[in-house]
Amino acid sequence: MSVKLVKKGDSYFPSAEFKKKAWLKDASVYKESPLKFWEKQAKKLFWFKKWRKVFSHQPPYFKWFVNGKTNITSSIFEENALGFSRIKNKVALIWEPESLEEKPRIITYYELFKKVNRFANALKKMGVKKGDKVGIYLPMIPEAMIAMLACARIGAIHAVVFSAFSPTALKLRLQDTQTKVLITADGYFRKGKVINLKQNADKGIKGTNVKKIVVVERAKNQISMKKNRDYFWHDLTEKESDFCQPAIMDAEDLLFILYTSGSTGRPKGTVQACGGYAVQAYATAKYIFDLKEDDIFWSTADVGWVTGHTYSCYGPLLNGTTFIIFEGLPSWPQPDRWAQTIEKYGATIFYTAPTAIRMFIKTLGSLSRYKFDSLRIISSVGEPIDDSSWNWFFKEVGKGKCSLVDTWWQTETGGIIMTSLPGIGPFKPCFTGLPFPGVKVDILNDKGKSLPPDKEGNLVILPPFNPGLLRGVYKNPKKYAQTYWSQFGPKVYFTSDTAYKDKKGLIRIVGRSDDVIKVAGHRLTTGELEDAINQLKNITESAVIGIPDKIKGEAPIAFIISHAKKSLTALQAEVSAQVRKEIGPIASLKNVYLVADLPKTRSGKIMRRILRKLFSGEDLGDLSTLANAESVEAIRKIIKTQK
Ligand code: WTA
């Protein structure tokens, strides 16, 4: 791209040159009826049998493409929308290992197809059947995608667990799904060191139903293999055939379960349906990243999170796109590793998170030494992007020539819900944009009344929602109904985000209205951390809140009450270690404060809101509802003095 974007007022618009070639360039697409829009998209994918009805609604449940029969792997491979012959020998994925000395792996669509089929056959031989759950605990290596696709091929439901999650976090998820087969690796590289993943898996399966473990040999580190339980991936797939019949899946059969944090301590398993998810992944990837045949797409998200599922696997594959997956950290071994990687492969689209952008700014500043000639679209996800990060990203990475599309969505929505389209715009700093075509959202006050521009309120999604919206919380219909469909009735999906719109309808996300915090873009809830801390013998009670952090966006801190005869430093170390052990390094506490009492309501509920305000310096408001208002001043002093 050689032409700068056009600035009008406070927003940018795509150049005429970009517009000319973009898939979507005309705002009339926003006027299309949602059902017509999504049906048109669905027709581009493969169906064994066409749907009877596009959408049916029995609040709070709904279906898309009713009675349609499909398999997402057929739409990716032999029935790809571009035609299999066109993509067969095209590169599907480029795997960049952490070490600069190691060779990348480059896998074509045809090679990937064969690998998926071989592993699908191996899974079948292990007794995995349609509808069975399979756990995947893998780092960013091609086998993670191959394993997901192999499950989808035979109709098994994959449940991916982030590889940096602790054994306890893994166990919780495996217990909930009652998975019998777990796929993991011997290890992977993190900052030059080997992480022994198999050891974590061995610990994590204790007390679960896991009977068989498949191990990918990645780091060749020393591991223990148990006879008749543990098998190497290469041994299982070596002699398998290159073809496995795709399972015929109903559009509403489950494709995967993905755990995410909500307002309580226990993570919930969001469930995705085969048909709707595929349609949403395909259409959003195609139009938001304007995917063309010669694009090289790079999403930095790990496969353990929803962005990794939809945009580091299914979305680009359904579009026959070449994409990059990266094992390491974008800033290692040099802070500009990510920039080197863009140039190395000539990436054309770069999708990352504000937390990464803030780190790039801090460690690199100006990027004049990089031309980034290949880039045409840059994009952000996961948390609100502030004005200075937006401008830096736009100028230093996009060089003022790339469309900057912020994308808002959630694990629950399966794919992007709000954004600016790259060929239409506008791109306005801090604003996420408009609802994607076919999606209706609103901002409501607490009584459910639609709010005018500039008024902050609850962001909701209105019927017919979107094909990728979750179909339930695994084995917990009550939680599904309560979390998403109780605030404004069973026909309005409650996002738990606060937002407002400007006069043109562009939406700006303010943040979560529940106890979810976004730490470096990772979704955690304060309750999960408190549950971990409260397990310690020495701790009587705890409260965790997120406070602003210059790089991570938010970082958790803990307030603890303890009657143990231990020093402050010993308690702090114990609590910090416990959180890392129970959840993982992503949840690391920024600070631990020892207090005598926590602010509580008369019914005993801890008022985290008050703790948050003590940090932000906001007015504490009316404290008369507190049972122990005096605790507040004591905590204020401790925050000031205790390091
Ligand atoms: C937040 C990530 C502002 C939001 C795909 C949402 C964002 C939560 C944005 C979901 C964005 C995501 N701007 N905030 N562009 N994207 N969020 O489930 O609070 O990990 O509810 O899904 O992240 O996080 P999750």
Side-chain angles (χ1 to χ4, degrees), residues 75-86:
S75 291
I76 288 172
F77 296 112
E78 60 272 51
E79 304 289 343
N80 189 286
L82 296 178
F84 195 38
S85 56
R86 249 160 91 188

Side-chain angles (χ1 to χ4, degrees), residues 559 568 572 591-595 615 633-643:
F559 295 87
L568 171 66
Q572 285 175 324
N591 215 333
V592 180
Y593 297 98
L594 180 62
V595 297
F615 266 87
E633 279 319 304
I635 295 172
R636 196 198 295 275
K637 257 190 223 141
I638 288 172
I639 294 173
K640 267 202 192 130
T641 52
Q642 190 179 298
K643 283 263 157 63

